[in-house]
Amino acid sequence: MLHCGIVGLPLSGKTTLFNVITRAGAEVKPYPGGKTDPNRAVVSVPDWRFDMLAEHHNPRKRTPAQVEFVDLAGLSRDASKGAGLGNSFLSFVAEADALLHVVRGFSNPSVEHPEGSVDVLRDYKIVNLELIYRDLGVIENRLGRLGSKKKLSPEEQVEKELLERCQESLLSEVPIGKMGLSQDELRLLRGFSFLSAKPQMVVLNLDETQRGPEDVRGGKGAA
């Protein structure tokens, strides 16, 4: 089963999107804070090919492909330094196979923006930088342990060189997922559950009067 984490700043509309996708009816709160445990729901993937095969073969049990959506608490600025839910939030993200990144593009005086204004590029960058900072911390810890060894095995040497490349990329604010790594290299990194390596879809959350990124009010364009 694919596990998809929904991330974004507080009050960006993550739970609303979660409810639209899953029809779970999770509580939507118009203020930050308060929510700690993630909302979870499993949704079957519609597929006419599956329906056709099931109808033709008439099996005793029909099990379509499923996706678990996890609505995570809002990511706070400096979460990688312990702000907000800090490492608890980031550990939830590490469990996901892919991310839905909700970016707020609407203005609403009754729903205060945690950064004080709507700016989709700023908010997009805040979340992604927190993922990058978390990955950098993991790499630094592992390189520190490798560096304390008198001699590295050939496998450890390969790992060290790959991690150093990832570190250099992250310091340039380029996510691991955009480094163009080979399948073998990605396989070597799998155990680290790097957040910036996960596939990510960005969802721009607009109000009823907005038709697209060009209508974002108070922002600086779409992510």
Side-chain angles (χ1 to χ4, degrees), residues 9-14 29-32 74 104 106 111-114 205:
L9 292 180
L11 305 178
S12 59
K14 295 180 288 70
K29 295 183 178 181
Y31 51 87
R104 176 173 169 176
F106 67 90
V111 182
E112 183 180 356
H113 194 292
N205 189 12

Side-chain angles (χ1 to χ4, degrees), residues 5-77:
I6 304 177
V7 301
L9 292 180
L11 305 178
S12 59
K14 295 180 288 70
T15 303
T16 298
L17 177 65
F18 173 80
N19 285 334
V20 169
I21 296 173
T22 67
R23 300 182 182 179
E27 182 182 7
V28 178
K29 295 183 178 181
Y31 51 87
K35 177 171 161 258
T36 54
D37 295 329
N39 298 312
R40 297 176 181 268
V42 176
V43 177
S44 296
V45 179
D47 190 337
W48 65 268
R49 296 167 299 181
F50 172 83
D51 296 335
M52 181 183 66
L53 290 172
E55 187 69 24
H56 179 74
H57 294 286
N58 193 27
R60 292 184 179 180
K61 183 178 180 181
R62 302 185 182 191
T63 306
Q66 295 181 318
V67 178
E68 181 186 39
F69 289 93
V70 183
D71 170 31
L72 301 161
L75 180 88
S76 302
R77 183 192 285 270

Side-chain angles (χ1 to χ4, degrees), residues 1-2 4 32 34 38 64 113 121 124 128-129 131 148 161 171 176 191 221:
M1 185 189 313
L2 179 70
C4 187
H113 194 292
L121 288 181
Y124 171 81
N128 280 289
L129 282 178
L131 304 184
S148 65
E161 292 174 359
L171 288 173
I176 292 174

Side-chain angles (χ1 to χ4, degrees), residues 77-89:
R77 183 192 285 270
D78 295 330
S80 58
K81 300 177 182 178
L85 294 181
N87 291 328
S88 296
F89 171 91

Side-chain angles (χ1 to χ4, degrees), residues 133-204:
Y133 294 152
R134 182 269 187 185
D135 288 352
L136 279 171
V138 172
I139 290 175
E140 289 170 2
N141 288 337
R142 179 55 179 164
L143 288 178
R145 290 194 294 272
L146 291 175
S148 65
K149 295 188 175 184
K150 293 183 179 180
K151 185 177 181 180
L152 300 179
S153 67
E155 293 79 11
E156 289 174 329
Q157 184 62 38
V158 170
E159 177 188 346
K160 177 176 179 292
E161 292 174 359
L162 178 56
L163 289 176
E164 288 173 341
R165 286 171 52 203
C166 293
Q167 184 181 48
E168 182 179 356
S169 177
L170 293 174
L171 288 173
S172 299
E173 299 183 5
V174 177
I176 292 174
K178 294 185 178 181
M179 288 178 60
L181 298 177
S182 68
Q183 290 301 313
D184 287 340
E185 290 172 326
L186 291 173
R187 196 173 297 112
L188 286 174
L189 298 176
R190 187 175 298 164
F192 294 101
S193 296
F194 285 130
L195 307 186
S196 68
K198 299 180 183 297
Q200 182 180 136
M201 177 184 291
V202 180
V203 179
L204 182 60

